[in-house]
Amino acid sequence: MAEPSMEEADGLVGGSNKVMGLGDRAYEDLKEKLVRGAYPPGHKITVRAVAEELGYGTTPARDALNRLVAERALVFSGPKTVVVPTLSLAELYEVTQMRLRLEGLAAEKGAIGAGSADIARLEAFQGEIDAALAEGRYADALWSNKEFHFHIYGRANMPMLLATIETLWLRVGAAFNDLYPEFAISKYGIQNHRAALEGLRHGDPQEVKAAIETDIRDGYRRLRQALSERAPKK
Amino acid sequence: MAEPSMEEADGLVGGSNKVMGLGDRAYEDLKEKLVRGAYPPGHKITVRAVAEELGYGTTPARDALNRLVAERALVFSGPKTVVVPTLSLAELYEVTQMRLRLEGLAAEKGAIGAGSADIARLEAFQGEIDAALAEGRYADALWSNKEFHFHIYGRANMPMLLATIETLWLRVGAAFNDLYPEFAISKYGIQNHRAALEGLRHGDPQEVKAAIETDIRDGYRRLRQALSERAPKK
DNA sequence: CTCCGAATTTTGTTGCAACAAAAATAGAAT
DNA sequence: ATTCTATTTTTGTTGCAACAAAATTCGGAG
């Protein structure tokens, strides 16, 4: 049973072979820290700081930064300053629109030919989400939520699509990690996931697609509200 | 009248400010060469060759290569070898599916609020396409075609979306440039563009979206056929 | 207390040499 | 001829120092 493995080398390895250099390692490390919310939005990230923090030289650190900037997981606030991004209302809307199309596509294609093994796996993820949520382990719930989504997307066998979706998740993850936990998942999310599972059981890709889209829309509403309630912050 | 400017610094500069270093220049140069078909698919690209060819040091050349690889405009054929990619049928299908969703979105949003100035501009682009086509200047036709599409997309004011679409165009452009000219545009394309213009005049975003999607689908069919007819090549 | 400008520190970039590893090449054996 | 192996060349990566430019700090003027 082949694991979709969203833990692969971030999408660069799309079936090709590439030696993992320090630069890629640094990229993975930094990405991990970003998505885990190690730095608050607005925090300045410098090449030398990353180099020392991760224990690599300045070249790999620079490579990682450049890559993250290209993916917009980090943004310039000045000619020479990169910071963890903040998502404006407009940007959140834009990312959501892209997610709807792209993840809708991935869900639809991924649903085709899904078997009971997939369903069992997804139910396991959902169980982890429920458990984590019940115990207040929001970070774990978020992680399992990601696994749930990407297990479906991964089945589509569309590496480019998957990589693009991942950058979108990284974009919102990095910007919202400071307030995400409380808002990210709720009974709505659970309900949408159950709907997706139903669609999988029925062998109806459109039903799965619709459920995922609703999930994205629900998340958008919550994020949007969180954003407007967020104090203008000194 | 603000120019949408698809000639901007490749999408990195999404409203932020960033100093253009040699690395970015090298990236632009290489990208240009790729989209112009300077290298045939399968051609090996090395850091030092690029450095000398473009007249930069090895560091900027390496930066450019890394970035192009991250965007999949260049791919690894071995642990240390990057080549101009070939698009498999599966990859062409994947790119097309993504283009349909993303460019459909961009067309729909870009159509909203389009005025007579936009229509005039688009008609001018179409005129250039017709003229170039009539005279056999396929490269120019391709260029004007790109301008036509991106003028609409640019109106949507969605920088992330636009950057993503551009990488998709680069991906197929680099892989197909050797046989693209004869197949890229035909009376179908013209007809689709006219339909898009009609939608713009009616102020009907859905009509524009449908026209663009048909355009993408027509192009896909032609490319697909060209791909299967392509000799297995020694 | 605020604002502005000069001095100082920090920071990204670039070229380069050294190194390890991969790719190309040449040759030998079957 | 073909395949496999050894040798040679090519190639990407990395660390580092120097440099120009930007960010920050600090004072002083209003």
Side-chain angles (χ1 to χ4, degrees), chain A residues 28-44:
Chain A
E28 295 294 337
D29 290 353
L30 232 193
K31 187 168 129 180
E32 170 87 6
K33 287 201 161 204
L34 280 179
V35 77
R36 295 257 191 237
Y39 314 101
H43 184 272
K44 182 171 157 190

Side-chain angles (χ1 to χ4, degrees), chain B residues 18 21-23 44 48 57 59-60 78-81:
Chain B
K18 159 74 165 95
L22 290 190
K44 182 170 155 188
R48 284 173 175 86
T59 309
K80 269 175 123 171
T81 334

Side-chain angles (χ1 to χ4, degrees), chain A residues 206-224:
Chain A
Q206 292 304 321
E207 193 178 341
V208 178
K209 177 184 176 186
I212 293 297
E213 288 178 341
T214 303
D215 196 45
I216 294 173
R217 265 188 263 265
D218 284 347
Y220 170 66
R221 288 200 198 90
R222 243 164 295 137
L223 252 17
R224 190 186 202 296

